[in-house]
Amino acid sequence: MLKGHLDMIVLAALSAGPAHGYAVIEEIRRRSGRAFDLPEGTIYPALHRLEQAGLLASRWVTAQSGRRRRVYSLTRAGSRALAERRAVWQQFSDAIGGLLEGTRPWRKPA
Amino acid sequence: MAKAGVISDYLESLATALSFDRVLARSVREEVEDHLCEALAADRTGDRLEAERRAIANFGDPLAIAAQFAVVSLAQQTRRAGIAIILVIGGVFATMKARLAWYAMTEWAMRDDLRAVGATVGLVDRYAFRLSVVIGIAALITVAGRYATSRRQLRRSFLLCVAATALLVVSVISDGVLTALQLAGGDLCADSLVPLLSMTIEIACIGVLVFLVRAIALRTASTAALLNL
């Protein structure tokens, strides 16, 4: 189920600010209450794909440990894409909520 | 510096699986090494070897990860080829027009007995070139999409790139025949240099394109092999 939403999840994790791959995974775990415990290796191809699509930018920095580290951040296009996906997800979530509760018909926003 | 032991073996196998793209392999290796070191630093169990094994297990199978990277890399290469096709089309068009302008300026006409052949070859050239423009633009549109990373989409883009390149090859060969017909019978002089030079440029452009498309074909094969593992 997560596969189709991986891009949105990664974009959302980076909305807090620039981060390297490990920190992105930790942020996903933290913000999802550890519900999304993804195989860690799957995050990196997604980060590269999103960068290729212009939704993320990356730069290499030297960490305190002396290791070189690749830090990713949202681009403007990335922020826009995240806002769009958030809106679509909200609509979907409201519609499913209305359906499951069965109490009130969900109305599509104008 | 790679950590000795389990982690360095893991990084080595990941880099080997990514050897289809050396730049990518080097960059991913460095990135994953940083990740695994972070995971080790966060592990509080105290058993170093066990922590290394756990970090690697959590990261996943190197071949499966390489397969995902292969698709991303293939998409990037196909996108570059799409752009190259448009640039080559522009280059071939410009040199073709420059050659025709040169013939007009120097009042260089084709021999009467060769005109019929020239007209037929010219027709082939025109239609091959026009079709390559249409298909080349279609290839670029297909690969320009932000998420052109599904296998079906990449396959379609690749086939369009191959078709556009094949038509451009036909067009350049026709240009070569037309140039030969134009120069036939005359002595090679300074005036011949412009058509010969323009043909050399066209052949060089198409050579680069064929090389790029061949590289995509090889990358597609290695990606398919990784995905089918």
Side-chain angles (χ1 to χ4, degrees):
Chain A
M1 188 200 88
L2 271 182
K3 204 179 172 205
H5 304 294
L6 183 60
D7 290 357
M8 181 175 68
I9 290 168
V10 171
L11 291 175
L14 281 163
S15 64
H20 57 282
Y22 186 81
V24 170
I25 294 163
E26 284 296 297
E27 183 70 2
I28 292 170
R29 281 190 186 129
R30 191 185 64 79
R31 282 163 70 168
S32 69
R34 302 192 81 82
F36 298 158
D37 208 359
L38 302 159
E40 296 172 2
T42 59
I43 290 292
Y44 289 90
L47 287 167
H48 283 235
R49 191 178 60 245
L50 290 168
E51 185 179 20
Q52 213 179 80
L55 304 182
L56 297 182
S58 77
R59 65 195 164 92
W60 286 92
V61 298
T62 306
Q64 279 183 339
S65 58
R67 284 193 308 271
R68 268 170 36 90
R69 170 170 288 172
R70 194 170 188 170
V71 174
Y72 296 87
S73 55
L74 281 183
T75 59
R76 251 186 226 175
S79 300
R80 267 200 309 274
L82 177 60
E84 282 164 17
R85 281 158 195 235
R86 213 175 246 151
V88 170
W89 179 262
Q90 198 56 55
Q91 281 182 22
F92 176 75
S93 169
D94 289 349
I96 292 289
L99 190 73
L100 293 179
E101 284 165 20
T103 47
R104 56 177 171 83
W106 176 74
R107 288 188 192 282
K108 193 176 178 181
Chain B
M1 272 290 286
K3 297 277 164 192
V6 186
I7 286 189
S8 77
D9 288 349
Y10 180 83
L11 292 172
E12 200 50 51
S13 55
L14 182 60
T16 305
L18 289 168
S19 58
F20 54 82
D21 186 336
R22 285 183 187 176
V23 177
L24 179 74
R26 210 169 29 241
S27 144
V28 170
R29 186 193 170 117
E30 207 167 357
E31 215 175 343
V32 174
E33 185 183 353
D34 179 48
H35 175 103
L36 295 175
C37 288
E38 285 290 298
L40 279 184
D43 196 299
R44 304 283 174 221
T45 54
D47 184 341
R48 173 90 188 179
L49 188 62
E50 200 47 47
E52 286 186 2
R53 287 199 177 125
R54 202 168 20 250
I56 286 167
N58 288 341
F59 203 82
D61 176 16
L63 289 178
I65 294 161
Q68 293 177 47
F69 271 115
V71 176
V72 178
S73 170
L74 183 61
Q76 190 176 32
Q77 202 171 11
T78 312
R79 198 167 294 134
R80 280 185 195 147
I83 295 166
I85 285 173
I86 297 300
L87 291 176
V88 167
I89 285 172
V92 168
F93 184 74
T95 49
M96 209 159 57
K97 284 292 172 193
R99 194 167 50 241
L100 291 177
W102 180 253
Y103 292 148
M105 207 171 78
T106 54
E107 295 176 347
W108 193 339
M110 192 181 285
R111 267 171 37 195
D112 287 344
D113 57 323
L114 298 176
R115 277 178 195 269
V117 184
T120 310
V121 177
L123 207 65
V124 171
D125 184 14
R126 208 159 31 248
Y127 282 106
F129 185 77
R130 285 177 185 173
L131 259 177
S132 77
V133 172
V134 174
I135 296 176
I137 291 171
L140 187 65
I141 290 170
T142 319
V143 292
R146 280 183 171 173
Y147 291 98
T149 50
S150 74
R151 287 174 75 183
R152 190 192 291 177
Q153 216 169 354
L154 288 175
R155 188 178 160 76
R156 196 183 308 145
S157 310
F158 173 64
L159 291 176
L160 287 171
C161 287
V162 170
T165 304
L167 286 163
L168 269 176
V169 168
V170 171
S171 174
V172 170
I173 290 172
S174 308
D175 276 348
V177 173
L178 283 173
T179 306
L181 292 175
Q182 192 80 29
L183 299 179
D187 292 330
L188 280 180
C189 56
D191 284 357
S192 321
L193 278 179
V194 172
L196 289 175
L197 185 67
S198 68
M199 270 319 301
T200 310
I201 294 171
E202 279 189 37
I203 292 167
C205 285
I206 207 72
V208 170
L209 198 56
V210 168
F211 177 79
L212 271 175
V213 170
R214 184 178 169 273
I216 297 177
L218 293 174
R219 183 67 61 82
T220 305
S222 65
T223 305
L226 271 171
L227 288 167
N228 291 331
L229 278 171

